Amino acid sequence: MSPDWQGAWQALTHHPLFGIGITLGAYQLAMAGYERTRWVFLQPVLVSMLTVIGILLLCGLSFAEYRNSVAAMTLLLGPATVALAVPLYLNLRRIRQLFWPIILTLLIAGTFATVLGAGLAWLFGAERLVLMSMAPKSVTSPIAMLVADQIGGIAALAAVFVMITGVIGAIVGPTILRLCRVHHPAAQGMALGLTAHAVGTARALQESDECGAFAALAMSLMGVITAVLLPLAIVLFL
């Protein structure tokens, strides 16, 4: 590569908007592929994540450079999360009708999801550090990282477990629900929101507004319950 081309290439890859461009481009391409094929393994979050990683490796960019490049986009995570209140408001009457089933599902399924993941890791001989990092795997990354740090885990490792949980849940969750003959939008949304957090909520919104509303509700309440009760349970029982 000539010096002129090399300089132009370096200027392009180190441009402040390069990270945002490849992120949006990768996601749009992944969405187009998924909408065209509806193949579960073309889940947009998974495909766009792998695409961005590949581009960063190809361009020789570090994660720190990419993180600085997409800092402006990261600021939009807050408003995007708050925007989930819209489907909640539109389905508020339905949520009130199912108030007690929602509470029971959160307590039982939320506890089961937390205990099952940590229990399986313990059976396979995982160390306490890994167990504490895996315990909050079913909530969004910011909450999971904070909780993992509080209970003696590794925040970065907890974020990895959260991403793996979300992607797998979004890929196989709808299929498992159909095989189990769970067709009610509220039940589907609760299951995806509880187990696959934000990624599952995004997948639920593709099904219907009602499904997405209950997924957003389950994700939010699961995050609050985990942040409050999980550290307390660790202190009392471990």
Side-chain angles (χ1 to χ4, degrees), residues 60-82:
L61 295 175
S62 65
F63 174 73
E65 292 175 300
Y66 172 75
R67 181 181 57 195
N68 293 333
S69 180
V70 297
M73 184 181 295
T74 305
L75 294 176
L76 298 177
L77 288 175
T81 303
V82 173

Side-chain angles (χ1 to χ4, degrees), residues 6-210:
Q6 187 174 8
W9 177 253
Q10 291 292 327
L12 174 64
T13 56
H14 289 84
H15 192 277
L17 297 179
F18 181 74
I20 294 178
I22 63 174
T23 302
L24 294 177
Y27 187 76
Q28 287 300 318
L29 289 174
M31 278 293 297
Y34 178 77
E35 292 293 337
R36 182 179 294 273
T37 63
R38 286 290 173 177
W39 193 35
V40 294
F41 291 102
L42 290 181
Q43 184 64 31
V45 174
L46 175 63
V47 174
S48 57
M49 176 181 65
L50 295 176
T51 302
V52 170
I53 291 174
I55 294 175
L56 294 179
L57 292 175
L58 181 64
C59 297
L61 295 175
S62 65
F63 174 73
E65 292 175 300
Y66 172 75
R67 181 181 57 195
N68 293 333
S69 180
V70 297
M73 184 181 295
T74 305
L75 294 176
L76 298 177
L77 288 175
T81 303
V82 173
L84 292 173
V86 174
L88 285 176
Y89 175 76
L90 294 176
N91 292 273
L92 187 58
R93 179 180 298 179
R94 186 63 174 156
I95 292 172
R96 287 175 177 172
Q97 292 174 348
L98 299 173
F99 177 77
W100 288 113
I102 289 172
I103 297 301
L104 290 174
T105 301
L106 281 169
L107 293 177
I108 297 174
T111 302
F112 182 77
T114 302
V115 173
L116 180 62
L120 287 175
W122 177 75
L123 287 175
F124 282 102
E127 298 179 357
R128 178 184 173 86
L129 194 65
V130 176
L131 294 178
M132 296 301 101
S133 302
M134 180 176 286
K137 64 177 177 52
S138 294
V139 297
T140 56
S141 295
I143 297 176
M145 294 172 70
L146 177 63
V147 172
D149 188 61
Q150 289 178 342
I151 63 178
I154 303 175
L157 186 58
V160 173
F161 287 136
V162 168
M163 179 59 68
I164 294 173
T165 302
V167 170
I168 294 177
I171 290 175
V172 305
T175 302
I176 293 176
L177 290 172
R178 283 193 292 269
L179 291 176
C180 295
R181 299 182 180 180
V182 179
H183 302 295
H184 197 289
Q188 291 178 339
M190 288 292 295
L192 290 172
L194 275 172
T195 57
H197 45 83
V199 184
T201 301
R203 180 66 180 85
L205 286 168
Q206 296 175 358
E207 297 292 327
S208 67
D209 287 340
E210 183 179 355

